[in-house]
Amino acid sequence: MKHLFASRSHNKPPFLAESFTMPRSVILSTMILQMKQSYARNMFQFCLIANPILNTILLYEMFRNSGQENFASYVVLGSGLMAIWGCICFSSAGDINRERNIGTLRVIFAAPAGFPAIIVGKILGNTLLSLVSLLISQITATVLYQAPLALISPGYFCIAMIALVVSFVVISSILACLLTLSRRTTLYMNCIEIPFILLCGFSFPIEILPSWLQTISRCLSPTWAVELLRMSVDGVTDSSLFWHKLEILAILSALYTLFAAWLYHVMDRRIRIHASLEVS
Amino acid sequence: MEPIIEVKDLYRSYTTYRGSLRKQKITVEAVRGISFSVQPGEIFGLLGQNGAGKTTTIKMLITLLAPTSGTCRVLGYDTFGQEKYIRPRINFIFGGESGVYRRLSARDNLRYFANLYRLDPKERERRIDEILELVDLTDRADNLQETYSKGMTQRLQIARGLINDPEVIFMDEPTVGLDPLGAHMLRQVIRRLRDQGKTVLLTTHYLPEAEELCDRMVILNQGKIVATGTPAQIKGDAATLEDAYLNLIQKGETP
């Protein structure tokens, strides 16, 4: 049977081509919406503000008799990174459940902008907002322990920060796809928080982990971003090592992106076949 | 004229598992081989009891669910596999208070959803003002949704469903929870959409509303079609559409 609109089935209309090739405005608007929504929640405010303060106190007390001198890279960065990851876990993962419960998940899932662009916007919003945690950690360390603001290589630090955001966005995209498949997101987001903190070496060097665990750590993109951040805070003495680690992170991020794209296609089919998108 | 919505021998079942050690597979057939078509510009009704398969059918048509088997096409495209050609040109409104962000104003909600439909910024603002006026929310447009009454939230949901000026609109019990004034407003919106040549597929429990609005309708019972035609054809010799409906459901007649 010939359909009224069948002529369009193989030729993508121009407005559609635009829709699928330029999702930047969608990412940006979702990012802003996410920041507004996240900051309005008490749980996020706790993760963003109280968590880095408490983490800084905890890590300082653990660190002060360790004989180490690089206070900034372990106490300030460590507590800040733990808080950032907490924000990402409890907001990005929790958001899927929240969207599911308020009935907006089906709306954004079926929107022509594309679910991946919306997910990236949400993760980017949470990640950028949660960077405030690093600042709060530094302020806490300065006020309570008179820790100086130590940043030996600011240029490398900026690069490392971008690498950190990218590494969190790509790994969170994979987690978001996996969490969209399931309705047990609350359980999983609690399960992933601490293991990542330990494996990615947020608060201690991964070299102290058993070698088989270090292999897993090396496969996680945030591990490399954290190492870059530490190098830049302590001072980059070997720039070729910095660039080498950045290269590895770039390759890992590219692989994660490909995996996330494949996972999205699997998720897109599965949730429509198994009807797991919504609360039934 | 070629149909804008085409459903042929459509099946959808849900499978769940019970138990932890010995898992027992439970399959529920929500839609069992239904067929119907909707012409451009029609207001088409899907009527039936709770659990008749209306919402499952709508979810397949709006690309949220995959059919188990059969044909499910909108605007000439398969809803599973060719959804990217359908999504920009349709929209949907579900009854109740879900589907909008509580911590955003009506205007910000609509701005965000307009972005998801890639509306041009100038066109977006014009469209938002027009729709807010249509659903009578202009005065409260900048208040947070969490301060809205149930009826206002539902009107906001209707506005969201119209944001992209869709060619086909799916409405799943849109008047549930609306006060008489709100329900009247929605009926006017539906008529206006028809005047603009839009196609509306609507489910409702409120039979007088279906009779008043729908050009044609099907009645579903336990996942199967038990009657199809214009309201007058379905009513037949019965005094009211409700009497005819009750007879069909109780007898479980098949066409």
Side-chain angles (χ1 to χ4, degrees):
Chain A
M1 180 189 278
K2 187 176 176 290
H3 278 273
L4 180 65
F5 302 93
S7 58
R8 290 184 176 185
S9 62
H10 298 296
N11 301 312
K12 194 188 280 186
F15 75 95
L16 283 175
E18 190 190 341
S19 299
F20 293 106
T21 53
M22 291 183 64
R24 275 176 299 180
S25 65
V26 173
I27 293 174
L28 191 69
S29 63
T30 306
M31 195 180 88
I32 294 165
L33 171 96
Q34 187 62 29
M35 285 175 163
K36 279 185 191 173
Q37 299 242 92
S38 290
Y39 194 71
R41 279 198 304 274
N42 293 339
M43 183 65 181
F44 193 88
Q45 286 172 9
F46 178 85
C47 290
L48 187 72
I49 299 163
N51 236 5
I53 295 172
L54 297 173
N55 288 342
T56 307
I57 295 168
L58 176 74
L59 285 187
Y60 174 75
E61 295 303 331
M62 290 167 70
F63 183 83
R64 71 173 167 179
N65 294 322
S66 67
Q68 300 280 322
E69 286 178 2
N70 43 356
F71 185 93
S73 67
Y74 283 100
V75 175
V76 176
L77 270 187
S79 52
L81 289 167
M82 284 162 69
I84 292 172
W85 183 243
C87 286
I88 291 172
C89 282
F90 286 98
S91 193
S92 295
D95 276 333
I96 292 166
N97 241 7
R98 256 186 296 280
E99 300 265 2
R100 185 174 272 144
N101 290 330
I102 63 171
T104 46
L105 189 59
R106 64 183 169 215
V107 179
I108 59 173
F109 183 82
F115 198 52
I118 296 168
I119 289 291
V120 168
K122 282 179 170 294
I123 293 168
L124 207 53
N126 280 334
T127 308
L128 292 177
L129 187 59
S130 64
L131 292 181
V132 173
S133 300
L134 277 175
L135 193 66
I136 293 173
S137 293
Q138 178 63 56
I139 293 168
T140 308
T142 307
V143 171
L144 295 182
Y145 308 115
Q146 290 75 51
L149 178 64
L151 188 55
I152 312 292
S153 308
Y156 284 109
F157 182 78
C158 290
I159 296 168
M161 282 299 283
I162 295 167
L164 181 81
V165 172
V166 171
S167 71
F168 277 144
V169 169
V170 291
I171 203 162
S172 301
S173 300
I174 292 172
L175 293 174
C177 283
L178 293 171
L179 292 170
T180 309
L181 276 171
S182 172
R183 290 178 191 163
R184 279 181 260 176
T185 46
T186 312
L187 171 72
Y188 297 143
M189 73 189 189
N190 280 297
C191 290
I192 57 174
E193 191 198 6
I194 300 296
F196 270 83
I197 288 174
L198 300 178
L199 286 168
C200 296
F202 288 174
S203 51
F204 55 80
I206 60 163
E207 284 74 22
I208 66 171
L209 293 171
S211 56
W212 64 273
L213 271 182
Q214 283 185 45
T215 310
I216 299 172
S217 295
R218 294 282 173 209
C219 295
L220 298 171
S221 62
T223 304
W224 298 93
V226 170
E227 288 192 359
L228 292 172
L229 268 182
R230 285 228 170 85
M231 282 179 81
S232 64
V233 168
D234 295 340
V236 177
T237 50
D238 181 356
S239 63
S240 62
L241 182 64
F242 183 91
W243 295 117
H244 175 65
K245 288 187 178 190
L246 191 63
E247 270 173 22
I248 294 172
L249 177 58
I251 292 167
L252 270 182
S253 299
L255 290 174
Y256 278 29
T257 306
L258 288 174
F259 182 59
W262 172 79
L263 206 56
Y264 168 72
H265 284 290
V266 173
M267 176 206 76
D268 182 52
R269 283 185 66 81
R270 276 185 67 94
I271 58 178
R272 291 162 71 200
I273 290 168
H274 297 289
S276 58
L277 185 68
E278 296 182 275
V279 181
S280 51
Chain B
M1 196 182 282
E2 299 294 335
I4 202 162
I5 296 172
E6 189 185 14
V7 170
K8 211 181 280 176
D9 208 18
L10 186 66
Y11 281 84
R12 171 70 212 196
S13 57
Y14 295 101
T15 303
T16 51
Y17 294 89
R18 191 181 287 167
S20 43
L21 286 176
R22 279 187 179 179
K23 284 197 172 178
Q24 190 191 350
K25 188 176 170 182
I26 300 161
T27 302
V28 177
E29 289 189 327
V31 173
R32 301 190 290 167
I34 63 169
S35 301
F36 64 87
S37 62
V38 181
Q39 298 300 323
E42 257 190 322
I43 299 180
F44 192 86
L46 277 182
L47 275 67
Q49 301 292 95
N50 289 332
K54 305 184 298 293
T55 302
T56 297
T57 306
I58 281 206
K59 282 184 177 174
M60 285 188 276
L61 288 166
I62 62 174
T63 77
L64 286 181
L65 267 184
T68 303
S69 68
T71 304
C72 187
R73 290 168 77 84
V74 174
L75 294 156
Y77 300 108
D78 287 329
T79 58
F80 188 62
Q82 292 183 310
E83 58 278 352
K84 67 180 176 182
Y85 303 116
I86 299 171
R87 287 173 176 172
R89 299 164 63 189
I90 66 164
N91 212 324
F92 51 89
I93 297 162
F94 280 71
E97 293 176 80
S98 62
V100 289
Y101 292 104
R102 294 183 69 237
R103 284 179 168 139
L104 293 183
S105 67
R107 193 181 299 279
D108 283 345
N109 260 294
L110 294 178
R111 246 181 219 146
Y112 179 63
F113 291 116
N115 282 337
L116 298 189
Y117 281 87
R118 311 302 313 277
L119 260 63
D120 171 75
K122 272 187 190 168
E123 162 69 9
R124 181 188 68 193
E125 295 306 312
R126 189 195 61 75
R127 180 99 187 125
I128 288 170
D129 286 340
E130 189 183 284
I131 294 177
L132 283 170
E133 201 176 326
L134 183 74
V135 298
D136 199 19
L137 279 177
T138 306
D139 294 343
R140 298 284 305 274
D142 297 306
N143 296 141
L144 294 184
Q145 186 270 319
E146 61 189 0
T147 65
Y148 286 9
S149 68
K150 193 174 177 179
M152 287 168 73
T153 302
Q154 211 155 338
R155 279 185 274 151
L156 176 58
Q157 230 219 113
I158 293 163
R160 183 201 54 71
L162 301 175
I163 194 70
N164 60 324
D165 194 17
E167 291 169 53
V168 189
I169 303 141
F170 297 88
M171 298 185 177
D172 191 15
E173 296 177 29
T175 48
V176 166
L178 279 179
D179 55 29
L181 213 63
H184 177 73
M185 181 272 298
L186 181 69
R187 285 196 289 273
Q188 278 187 323
V189 168
I190 293 172
R191 282 192 206 97
R192 196 168 144 175
L193 291 169
R194 175 170 49 192
D195 294 344
Q196 291 172 354
K198 311 286 185 192
T199 307
V200 180
L201 190 140
L202 148 96
T203 77
T204 180
H205 284 301
Y206 189 46
L207 295 170
E209 182 177 81
E211 190 172 8
E212 183 188 335
L213 291 171
C214 295
D215 299 311
R216 287 189 307 129
M217 56 176 71
V218 296
I219 296 177
L220 290 171
N221 190 30
Q222 296 174 346
K224 287 186 172 180
I225 291 177
V226 294
T228 181
T230 63
Q233 285 169 339
I234 289 177
K235 198 159 88 176
D237 297 333
T240 63
L241 182 64
E242 191 170 333
D243 289 338
Y245 172 85
L246 289 172
N247 280 337
L248 286 163
I249 298 296
Q250 282 159 2
K251 285 178 189 169
E253 285 179 359
T254 48

